[in-house]
Amino acid sequence: MTRLDESARAALLRRGFALEYITLGWNVIGVGVLAVAAWSARSVALAGFGLDSLIEIGASTVVVWELSGTGDARQRRALRLIGGAFAALALYLLIQSTWVLVTGHRPHHSLPGIAWTAITALTMFGLAAGKARTGAALHNPVLRAEGRVTLIDGILAATVLAGLLLNAGLGWWWADPLAGYVLVFYAVREARTIFSDH
């Protein structure tokens, strides 16, 4: 590898770390914001998205380990833990969303939840694009895969946002637990993928 190649690779690695640290920081803040918003609005979708943000913190940590040259055994162990967390999230949301629909519990409106999920969707789409480009340039499948997780996180934020807006604008209270079911589908799919691959 030439000095130019080494320099370019080092710059790409720095960019990869920066993208992951931004993702980590955003999700750490998001867990707090979403916990408060979910509690005040009694929103199952916001609670589920907050738990998803917690899991995304773990996923970004795995990528930071991988970019640092950490061993495969530790990475597999961490991925299995993330898979277990996704399975637990799916079970929680399935029970909670079903309970909300059966009892007719109506969540309150949440302007902080609407604002945060809207900004989060835009942020995650931007980070996902950066990870895809950087992962491709580094020929790093882990960074590319985590970029797809970040893209899905943006889509989930947009889905939760739609549920919150339908509840606030049209009074469609059932849109909130339906957004929770979308998160169930995603969590089950991610858990199955992780356990089948690792």
Side-chain angles (χ1 to χ4, degrees):
M1 184 179 287
T2 67
R3 181 172 299 176
L4 179 61
D5 290 336
E6 290 174 0
S7 174
R9 179 173 173 73
L12 287 168
L13 279 173
R14 281 194 301 274
R15 187 192 308 162
F17 278 117
L19 290 166
E20 291 304 329
Y21 288 135
I22 291 169
T23 305
L24 276 167
W26 188 273
N27 281 315
V28 166
I29 294 167
V31 167
V33 171
L34 290 164
V36 172
W39 178 258
S40 62
R42 305 297 189 264
S43 167
V44 69
L46 283 173
F49 193 58
L51 291 171
D52 174 69
S53 295
L54 210 56
I55 295 169
E56 297 300 338
I57 290 169
S60 289
T61 302
V62 168
V63 176
V64 168
W65 283 345
E66 200 277 334
L67 289 176
S68 302
T70 305
D72 290 341
R74 186 176 182 186
Q75 181 183 339
R76 281 193 301 274
R77 199 164 45 248
L79 285 170
R80 282 194 297 270
L81 287 172
I82 292 169
F86 272 122
L89 172 63
L91 182 62
Y92 163 77
L93 287 173
L94 182 63
I95 292 169
Q96 189 71 9
S97 295
T98 303
W99 179 83
V100 167
L101 284 173
V102 168
T103 62
H105 170 78
R106 297 171 185 258
H108 306 299
H109 303 162
S110 176
L111 291 178
I114 289 170
W116 182 261
T117 52
I119 296 167
T120 296
L122 294 173
T123 301
M124 292 302 122
F125 290 144
L127 287 169
K131 290 176 187 180
R133 284 194 303 271
T134 306
L138 281 170
H139 304 291
N140 186 309
V142 175
L143 183 56
R144 285 199 310 260
E146 208 275 324
R148 289 191 295 273
V149 171
T150 304
L151 175 63
I152 292 168
D153 200 30
I155 294 169
L156 290 176
T159 301
V160 172
L161 174 62
L164 295 173
L165 289 173
L166 289 171
N167 180 38
L170 301 175
W172 292 1
W173 61 271
W174 42 265
D176 185 86
L178 285 184
Y181 282 127
V182 172
L183 291 169
V184 169
F185 170 78
Y186 160 73
V188 168
R189 192 189 69 173
E190 288 300 310
R192 286 178 61 185
T193 300
I194 288 171
F195 286 126
S196 63
D197 292 348
H198 303 279

